[in-house]
Amino acid sequence: MKRVVTAFDLLASVSEMSRLAGGKLENVYRTGAGYLFKFAGGFVAVTKFRVSLTGIVPEKTHEGAETLRGLFRDERLLAVSMPRFDRIAEFVFPTGRLVAELLEPFNIVAVREGRVVWLMHSYKGKDRAVVPGAAYAYPPAVFVDALSADVEELAKAIDPSDLRRSLIRRLGTGPELADELIARAGESPRDIAAEFKTLIERVRAGALEPTVCIKGGVPVTVMPIRPVSLNCDEYKSFDSFWSALDFYFSPMELEATAAQATQGIAQRRKRLEASIKELEEKIPEYRSEAAKLKAVAHKLLVYKVEIEEALAGRESSIRVVNVDASKIRIELPEGGGVELKKGVPLGRQITELFEKAKELEEKARKAEQVLEKLRKELSALEEQQRRAEEALKASAKVVAKRSWFEKFHWTVTTGRRPVIGGRDASQNEAVVRRYLKDHYFFFHADIPGASAVAAPPMDDPLEILQVAQFAAAYSRAWKIGIHAVDVYYVRGEQVSKQPPSGQYLAKGSFMVYGKREYVRHIRLELAVGCRRDGDVYRAVAAPPKSAPLLAERYVVVTPGNKEKGKLAKELAEKWGGCPVDEIAATLPGPSRISEEGRGAPMPWEEVEQIFATW
């Protein structure tokens, strides 16, 4: 069963991750299995199992990722590459690069100006040293590099007398790909080399057939091509290789996370299990020894008179043998013997045997009580561990495939009209340049520093009010604590990025010409909620009146003094499902909750259809 991606798998993964190039690294998180990188175009999981795009976000934290986040956050990704045909992936940024080594020991290394500035683990071996401040070098190459070598070079490395072994040892294919190449190309080294290069070029070009092989109901491997060499009960196909990797590796990652998170419980369980095993062995021993002592005491009691006669030197059926200066041995008529102390009355020795047997029985009784207590403690720990593992698995959220409008502030009016607004100056620019049609309406709070909001034309004053509320909420007025602001709106044709002669417009700024229509004294309030679409949870924002159309549960917030990160965490715990960072992204700033509500949201497909009319 595959436990880590192969170099061939990683090549396919790098091909998919390359689409992130040009986007910013928005955040870095620590997870139980490794690290999670949030790029503008999606998430990347870097764990000991794989490096790939991912649609599953496990429980995450900023702790342990602070330095790494400080190094590259908000930088644009220039490229994702594979320096050679090996399990090494590299993320290149303007100020440095991040290298993920899936070799033993698994490591992530941040490099600037050729030197290590951060790493998961320091490493010193015969081949190299990877320590802070040292010059970074890749692990020594042990294979012919299939990415740069031509067919002839690859063919020379393949031993015709031992095809599989040479593919694994000289070309680094691993057993899985070696078997696949032989199954596809036969036993000619040159044909195998040509097939190898063909597959590499196919994968580099993104021509993938992501497949998971399932045997006996259990996934046993995942490949970026449909294998012909494997005898599978079922071949499960996927639209992307990263989703196949999610399907295959996320259970392993969750298992590793659970094992780490419950390490303390596991250690306590181990100690309890050892104590229970010891008691389970001791209790029968105590009882067995007590039974033996009582049996001996009873025999001595039966033959007490005869033994005393023998000890006195008189004729008896008992034979007495000296053992040493302190002990004698008596031979009983039915066979067997018992050692006794010299000079100690027989009656006292019989009493001592009964008392010792009683002590052992008491020990056994108390041990059974302790054993029962330990078993209950173990059962409670097992339940605690089970719940912790289930909670961790439940915390892993499926990331939604984002529609185009979700990168903006977005909402829907009660009349089911789509609305978008810029999150920053760059997005304000995009809203005006790309999405604001001449006959559409442009809304803006009458205060510097506000979202540029666009919507189709509308006649209903209530809908106009709702869009104005949305524009007012995402303005500087919220952050500075103003509770009401005027909002104006104009037709798109009145908005221009062309400044008057001799003047300059900053990024995100624009000129508005002609008459403005005002909606006065708009109260700053916004509904923020959570919706579930299958396995996907989404945080949404809306004017209070249209919130029931979008969210199952929501709150109406107004400017307040609770930091949005803290409020987002409270709401995430209360609602369950929606990620904290997504809820925080919908909050305009420090807030307070004024009311709560529930809705019956329209299907997500209907939301997408509304925005498809843009």
Side-chain angles (χ1 to χ4, degrees):
M1 184 177 184
K2 182 182 285 186
R3 298 294 297 180
V4 64
V5 293
T6 64
F8 188 56
D9 297 334
L10 189 57
L11 181 65
S13 186
V14 165
S15 173
E16 290 186 326
M17 289 188 291
S18 293
R19 71 173 176 79
L20 298 175
K24 284 185 179 180
L25 176 61
E26 296 179 349
N27 222 325
V28 183
Y29 304 98
R30 191 79 167 89
T31 68
Y35 283 82
L36 186 71
F37 297 84
K38 184 182 181 183
F39 287 93
F43 287 92
V44 169
V46 181
T47 73
K48 67 179 181 180
F49 303 100
R50 52 133 169 196
V51 179
S52 74
L53 291 167
T54 182
I56 296 175
V57 176
E59 188 171 288
K60 61 190 188 301
T61 178
H62 289 296
E63 293 178 13
E66 298 91 344
T67 303
L68 195 53
R69 190 168 63 251
L71 286 171
F72 297 114
R73 187 176 181 179
D74 292 330
E75 287 198 27
R76 291 198 180 277
L77 180 66
L78 301 180
V80 185
S81 65
M82 196 171 169
R84 62 174 190 248
F85 193 73
D86 210 341
R87 286 179 294 154
I88 304 170
E90 194 167 81
F91 299 84
V92 183
F93 297 92
T95 63
R97 55 200 169 109
L98 198 62
V99 185
E101 300 178 358
L102 292 181
L103 312 167
E104 287 294 334
F106 165 58
N107 214 347
I108 303 175
V109 186
V111 181
R112 276 188 172 169
E113 297 179 353
R115 296 196 170 272
V116 176
V117 293
W118 178 92
L119 72 169
M120 274 185 74
H121 311 292
S122 292
Y123 169 77
K124 287 185 179 181
K126 294 179 181 179
D127 51 3
R128 61 177 183 148
V130 186
V131 294
Y136 175 75
Y138 296 121
V142 294
F143 310 120
V144 174
D145 182 16
L147 299 184
S148 58
D150 61 21
V151 171
E152 298 305 323
E153 289 176 278
L154 296 178
K156 286 178 183 177
I158 302 172
D159 182 353
S161 66
D162 199 347
L163 296 172
R164 190 174 190 269
R165 185 182 177 87
S166 58
L167 283 167
I168 295 168
R169 293 286 185 88
R170 297 179 185 176
L171 298 183
T173 62
E176 185 177 74
L177 184 57
D179 292 339
E180 186 68 18
L181 290 170
I182 294 168
R184 286 170 178 256
E187 297 187 357
S188 161
R190 199 184 187 290
D191 289 349
I192 291 172
E195 180 66 20
F196 193 8
K197 287 298 286 187
T198 298
L199 288 180
I200 284 174
E201 295 311 316
R202 273 179 54 192
V203 167
R204 272 178 158 173
L208 310 178
E209 295 177 286
T211 306
V212 171
C213 170
I214 297 174
K215 291 183 181 180
V218 178
V220 293
T221 192
V222 56
M223 295 184 75
I225 57 174
R226 187 176 177 86
V228 299
S229 60
L230 298 175
N231 183 21
C232 305
D233 298 335
E234 178 188 351
Y235 294 95
K236 188 174 179 65
S237 299
F238 293 82
D239 294 334
S240 61
F241 188 48
W242 63 261
S243 58
L245 293 175
D246 272 353
F247 176 85
Y248 187 83
F249 283 115
S250 61
M252 295 183 197
E253 290 166 343
L254 287 171
E255 185 181 328
T257 300
Q260 184 180 24
T262 60
Q263 188 175 9
I265 297 174
Q267 288 173 348
R268 286 162 59 197
R269 275 188 63 181
K270 193 173 181 180
R271 290 195 295 269
L272 276 175
E273 285 166 351
S275 298
I276 288 170
K277 185 179 179 182
E278 184 180 355
L279 286 174
E280 285 175 339
E281 292 171 353
K282 285 286 184 184
I283 289 169
E285 289 176 11
Y286 291 150
R287 294 199 181 282
S288 175
E289 185 62 23
K292 287 177 183 177
L293 291 175
K294 286 169 78 173
V296 170
H298 279 295
K299 283 184 180 181
L300 293 176
L301 199 57
V302 169
Y303 291 102
K304 183 174 183 291
V305 174
E306 288 89 339
I307 294 170
E308 287 175 339
E309 289 290 323
L311 291 174
R314 291 188 284 272
E315 187 177 346
S316 173
S317 62
I318 303 296
R319 181 168 172 258
V320 179
V321 180
N322 277 315
V323 176
D324 55 35
S326 62
K327 293 179 184 176
I328 58 171
R329 179 180 176 85
I330 59 169
E331 301 291 342
L332 300 174
E334 70 266 24
V338 179
E339 286 189 355
L340 295 174
K341 298 173 187 175
K342 283 183 179 180
V344 179
L346 180 59
R348 185 188 300 174
Q349 293 194 61
I350 294 172
T351 301
E352 286 176 355
L353 287 171
F354 277 119
E355 286 176 349
K356 192 170 182 182
K358 187 177 180 181
E359 286 175 7
L360 287 170
E361 287 177 337
E362 182 64 14
K363 269 189 173 182
R365 187 185 66 80
K366 288 182 177 178
E368 281 184 333
Q369 290 176 345
V370 173
L371 180 60
E372 183 62 25
K373 182 181 176 185
L374 291 181
R375 282 173 173 162
K376 286 180 180 178
E377 286 182 21
L378 179 60
S379 179
L381 273 180
E382 288 172 343
E383 178 63 15
Q384 185 181 346
Q385 186 170 11
R386 185 189 66 78
R387 288 183 179 180
E389 289 171 353
E390 285 182 355
L392 279 169
K393 290 175 183 177
S395 70
K397 305 303 178 189
V398 177
V399 179
K401 290 182 179 179
R402 299 296 177 188
S403 298
W404 68 267
F405 55 88
E406 289 184 90
K407 64 184 176 183
F408 300 105
H409 291 308
W410 67 272
T411 194
V412 171
T413 67
T414 50
R416 287 173 164 71
R417 283 183 171 80
V419 182
I420 61 170
R423 293 178 182 270
D424 53 28
S426 295
Q427 286 199 347
N428 279 352
E429 191 95 3
V431 167
V432 172
R433 286 187 181 276
R434 295 181 55 192
Y435 296 100
L436 183 61
K437 301 176 183 179
D438 284 350
H439 64 291
Y440 273 34
F441 282 179
F442 173 84
F443 288 78
H444 197 275
D446 198 16
I447 186 174
S451 176
V453 175
M458 57 195 76
D459 298 322
D460 187 344
L462 291 178
E463 284 192 275
I464 290 174
L465 175 63
Q466 289 164 20
V467 182
Q469 284 178 314
F470 195 71
Y474 290 115
S475 73
R476 193 165 64 91
W478 193 292
K479 295 179 179 65
I480 62 178
I482 297 174
H483 285 266
V485 69
D486 293 342
V487 174
Y488 67 83
Y489 64 97
V490 295
R491 288 171 61 85
E493 61 192 3
Q494 295 176 244
V495 183
S496 173
K497 284 296 299 175
Q498 187 67 36
S501 179
Q503 295 185 25
Y504 167 77
L505 284 178
K507 189 174 186 179
S509 299
F510 37 81
M511 295 296 299
V512 177
Y513 297 95
K515 184 182 177 183
R516 305 182 185 192
E517 299 292 338
Y518 277 87
V519 185
R520 301 288 185 183
H521 307 301
I522 295 295
R523 184 169 180 262
L524 268 66
E525 61 178 4
L526 185 72
V528 171
C530 181
R531 63 179 289 134
R532 180 178 181 179
D533 302 295
D535 293 330
V536 175
Y537 289 85
R538 287 182 174 85
V540 295
K545 288 290 185 185
S546 62
L549 290 174
L550 294 177
E552 290 161 7
R553 300 182 68 180
Y554 64 90
V555 294
V556 177
V557 294
T558 59
N561 55 12
K562 183 167 285 190
E563 293 179 4
K564 65 179 187 176
K566 187 175 181 180
L567 180 57
K569 186 176 181 181
E570 290 177 5
L571 292 174
E573 290 173 356
K574 186 175 184 177
W575 292 335
C578 276
V580 175
D581 53 351
E582 287 192 18
I583 297 173
T586 63
L587 291 165
S591 307
R592 72 174 185 85
I593 297 173
S594 62
E595 61 180 277
E596 298 185 23
R598 289 181 177 269
M602 67 179 82
W604 183 249
E605 293 75 14
E606 188 174 338
V607 176
E608 290 186 310
Q609 287 170 7
I610 289 171
F611 278 90
T613 63
W614 196 277

